[in-house]
Amino acid sequence: MVLLQCPCCCYTQNQQQKQKTQPHSHDHIHSESSTSSSLSSQPSLPSVPSLTSQQSQATYHKLLTTINGHSSPISSLALHSKFLFSGSSNSEIRRFDKDPFALQGSNNINNLVAISNGSKSTIKSMIVVNDMLFSAHQDHKIRVWKIETTMTSNSTNQDQRLFKCIATLPTFNDRFSKLFSSKNYVEVRRHKKYTWVNHIDAVSSLAVSKDGLFLYSASWDRTFKIWRVSDFKCLESVKSAHEDAINAIVVSSSGVVYTGSADRKIKIWREKNHEEDEKMKSKKKKHFLVGTLEKHKSAVNALALNKDGSVLYSGACDRSILVWEKSNSIIRNCSGLDQDPDDENMVLVGALRGHTKAILCLVVMDDLVCSGSADNSVRLWKRGIDEKSYTCLAVLQGHRKAVKCLAIADDSKSGKNGGVDDDGSSYLVYSGSLDCDIKVWQIRVPLI
């Protein structure tokens, strides 16, 4: 079996160049070739206060099942409706029943629904919008798949239920319309230019607006782009958004965009309104930078927002999860414009510590935070009543390699909680790993 390259952390263009002259530098962890010792050698931000309390809380957690349908590392997970979608480093997308009790008696071999061609089309991220699944790939493309809900009765390998690829972004029309004007070209390297609608490196992360109208893509080419879902048109590209590869992007319900990069920074972006357009004398750029969060000491790999966007979690190669919360004070941004205190002013409140290697993925639901790491484990953190204290509820172990992606679902109404007391919240956590397995965990958090 041949495994395509699937970095367990981040990719940094700048650091690859530095390695040629500094082969022993471990300042960043950026590729699968990095050793485990270098992963654990990153400082865990001793200057940032810890938010983890020593208080213990009884938490029921159980491994329900292991899905082993893939033959290559799992790089992305997405939940939609009754299904779990998984993407892997060999370009496969598989669909499984979200219900773990249905999974236990199913044949996982015949759940292949899509596969893209190309030796560099590792699936980096997936997201579902309406009846379409968007997948971000190592080959610089975003593919759009029409989700088929009808299931065939024939389960043989010759009759796979393949989704139809209805578009590849940027579309041909989008690229063609930009060919004939020099202002549509950007220089990507010496003597090399492309139109601004093209990503010219791996697309690392996807996000969608709350109303489902706009798709956001982040790339190792240091840009992020905004696409209209209805016709797949690229509306905007923010070039040189970071000094190095962008590994993560999330969007709040109010439209504030957060990007995390291998340059160790998290940047906050907001779309201008018409009044701001007049003040800033700029008609070209729709999103502008309103803040930069700088506390991580190595590449930022993962970002997650709580439901109302008031808390941002960031995970990095420094083994820490930083917790950022909104400030109530009005600030003045770099362009001299007053910002709404309910908008994007984020303040660091502390760190969650416990992982021994790089943080690779994060997911949040309610007051539960889940983190996956290169130390092969998943940790569960619960936000306290005072909102600035956290308890590590459990450490989920069983994967043989790094945990690359996570998904979470509310299981409170399933009625299948294994006899646990009904007073509390129940969740299903799905973890995908470089060991090619997906594990499904049941978590029961009692009320305090």
Side-chain angles (χ1 to χ4, degrees), residues 199-305:
H199 278 303
I200 51 101
D201 209 332
V203 183
S204 56
S205 183
L206 298 174
V208 67
S209 60
K210 182 181 179 181
D211 55 15
L213 298 179
F214 303 102
L215 179 77
Y216 298 77
S217 62
S219 171
W220 289 350
D221 64 13
R222 302 182 295 167
T223 73
F224 72 90
K225 301 183 190 296
I226 297 92
W227 313 78
R228 189 164 54 208
V229 170
S230 60
D231 59 1
F232 312 132
K233 181 179 178 62
C234 187
L235 302 177
E236 180 187 0
S237 178
V238 180
K239 67 176 183 177
S240 301
H242 283 268
E243 297 170 6
D244 211 330
I246 303 176
N247 295 321
I249 187 168
V250 291
V251 182
S252 73
S253 57
S254 61
V256 179
V257 180
Y258 300 86
T259 53
S261 169
D263 65 8
R264 313 178 188 186
K265 299 175 184 177
I266 302 163
K267 291 191 176 183
I268 310 171
W269 310 83
R270 187 159 62 92
E271 189 176 13
K272 297 193 301 289
N273 56 40
H274 295 299
E275 181 181 353
E276 289 169 349
D277 269 336
E278 292 300 320
K279 290 182 180 180
M280 299 177 70
K281 305 297 182 183
S282 172
K283 299 293 184 179
K284 295 181 180 180
K285 196 172 183 181
K286 297 179 181 179
H287 281 81
F288 66 100
L289 181 66
V290 295
T292 302
L293 308 179
E294 298 183 79
K295 275 296 181 180
H296 281 294
K297 298 303 181 184
S298 56
V300 179
N301 298 322
L303 297 173
L305 280 168

Side-chain angles (χ1 to χ4, degrees), residues 347-398:
V347 176
L348 178 65
V349 296
L352 306 179
R353 297 187 176 91
H355 285 293
T356 59
K357 292 183 181 179
I359 312 298
L360 304 182
C361 49
L362 294 168
V363 67
V364 179
M365 178 171 280
D366 302 328
D367 291 327
L368 188 68
V369 183
C370 303
S371 56
S373 170
D375 65 11
N376 307 350
S377 74
V378 176
R379 283 182 177 256
L380 307 177
W381 316 82
K382 188 177 187 301
R383 193 181 186 203
I385 297 177
D386 65 2
E387 299 182 349
K388 287 184 173 59
S389 67
Y390 287 76
T391 303
C392 183
L393 299 179
V395 181
L396 309 181
Q397 296 178 315

Side-chain angles (χ1 to χ4, degrees), residues 80 128-132 147 212 229:
H80 180 70
V128 178
V129 184
N130 302 323
D131 61 347
M132 296 176 291
I147 296 177
V229 170

Side-chain angles (χ1 to χ4, degrees), residues 191-204:
H191 306 307
K192 193 74 172 178
K193 292 185 177 182
Y194 285 93
T195 56
W196 60 266
V197 297
N198 287 279
H199 278 303
I200 51 101
D201 209 332
V203 183
S204 56

